[in-house]
Amino acid sequence: MQVLEYYDSIAQFWDMDYADMEIARSVAAAVSVPRGGGYALDIGCGSGSMILDLLNYGACEIEGVDISGAMIEMARDKFYFDPRISVTQADFMELEQGGYDFAVGFNVYHHFLCPKSFIKKAHSLLRSGGRLTVAYGFGRKQTNQLIEVQPKGISRTLLPAAEEAAVWAKHFNVDILCDTDEMYLISGRALEA
């Protein structure tokens, strides 16, 4: 089963299953949105659960991308009225438009089986000094337990945050790490190319 098919199949339950992650989403938004706002890329935006947090912390414009058409339809239903928000069904690794001030991937980083490729792509889409944040609404141990029950081949196990951050070093100055039982987060600023 591919990532797209998996998330299309569970989309209708997504908001109920992950409704209790407000604190983690808020923290991810707080560390990501630059002072004065900015143009955001929500990687793997799903049903749009991160969008309100990004707006609340000052994002001026948000582009959400997700590979799942069912998830994108849910996000469109929530935000069709807001001209600051655009959601598109797309594969993040195939995006070409850049110029984002920051990018956030919430509960999605494990689906990029080659983290080096993900990091390189994120760097290419951000402005110099732009921030990339990946975060989870629970810790690495619980995330990895959930990954074990997902269909094979769509996810990889998360390493300790400090080890994952080492993969980022060529393209990002990682300055925020959190690897607790309650939350997993890595965030850093894009280095000049």
Side-chain angles (χ1 to χ4, degrees):
M1 178 179 276
Q2 299 292 327
V3 174
L4 179 143
E5 292 145 348
Y6 176 69
Y7 281 98
D8 276 353
S9 73
I10 65 168
Q12 62 185 334
F13 309 109
W14 188 256
D15 285 344
M16 292 178 291
D17 288 347
Y18 293 96
D20 60 346
M21 297 188 180
E22 295 95 0
I23 293 172
R25 286 193 310 266
S26 183
V27 169
V31 302
S32 299
V33 180
R35 203 174 287 195
Y39 180 31
L41 175 61
D42 186 353
I43 304 165
C45 68
S47 64
S49 61
M50 211 37 228
I51 290 173
L52 287 177
D53 296 284
L54 296 173
L55 289 172
N56 287 339
Y57 278 90
C60 299
E61 187 177 349
I62 301 168
E63 175 142 358
V65 296
D66 199 285
I67 201 164
S68 167
M71 290 286 198
I72 288 297
E73 284 306 313
M74 290 171 63
R76 282 187 184 137
D77 287 346
K78 291 177 188 175
F79 300 107
Y80 69 91
F81 58 88
D82 194 328
R84 300 171 296 173
I85 300 165
S86 169
V87 293
T88 305
Q89 182 181 4
D91 182 337
F92 167 75
M93 296 303 292
E94 295 176 4
L95 291 181
E96 294 180 10
Q97 174 189 333
Y100 299 100
D101 296 307
F102 66 100
V104 178
F106 191 78
N107 287 349
V108 70
Y109 181 58
H110 63 289
H111 288 303
F112 295 93
L113 303 181
C114 180
K116 286 182 181 178
S117 296
F118 170 84
I119 297 304
K120 183 177 180 181
K121 177 52 107 174
H123 183 268
S124 75
L125 297 173
L126 288 167
R127 293 182 181 168
S128 181
R131 180 169 291 279
L132 172 63
T133 302
V134 297
Y136 288 82
F138 27 72
R140 179 174 43 88
K141 182 178 177 181
Q142 185 177 351
T143 300
N144 286 339
Q145 289 171 344
L146 291 171
I147 289 168
E148 288 178 17
V149 300
Q150 290 180 342
K152 298 293 180 209
I154 69 165
S155 305
R156 66 178 180 83
T157 303
L158 293 174
L159 299 174
E163 291 178 39
E164 290 283 356
V167 175
W168 294 39
K170 183 176 179 181
H171 298 289
F172 289 90
N173 176 27
V174 174
D175 54 2
I176 304 171
L177 291 176
C178 179
D179 196 345
T180 67
D181 289 340
E182 293 79 29
M183 187 175 182
Y184 182 91
L185 182 142
I186 305 169
S187 187
R189 293 198 178 280
L191 299 171
E192 289 193 32

